[in-house]
Amino acid sequence: MCSGFILAVASAYGIEVIGPKWRVYFGAFGTAAYGAGFILVTIIAMFLPDRQLLTTAVASVFALNLLYMHAIPESPVWAL
């Protein structure tokens, strides 16, 4: 669910701010970041076999997204 929200925010940010010239590259980066997120969760799961600790670690990684919230325009900020 968190990955879907981040992808929605990144898409809206790309459409509103980046502009048509860089939109294709920004979209490709978003997809690559989405895939890297799945790999990151797998790596974290190798080292943290406890399900509750894994959930806390993944939520902590997601909480880092709140650091750039001020840079997102007003319309997609609700999705974050």
Side-chain angles (χ1 to χ4, degrees), residues 1 3-4 7 31-45 58:
M1 189 168 86
S3 298
L7 194 57
T31 305
Y34 190 75
F38 277 104
I39 293 170
L40 179 64
V41 169
T42 304
I43 291 170
I44 292 173
V58 171

Side-chain angles (χ1 to χ4, degrees), residues 8-20:
V9 170
S11 298
Y13 186 73
I15 290 169
E16 291 185 4
V17 177
I18 300 299

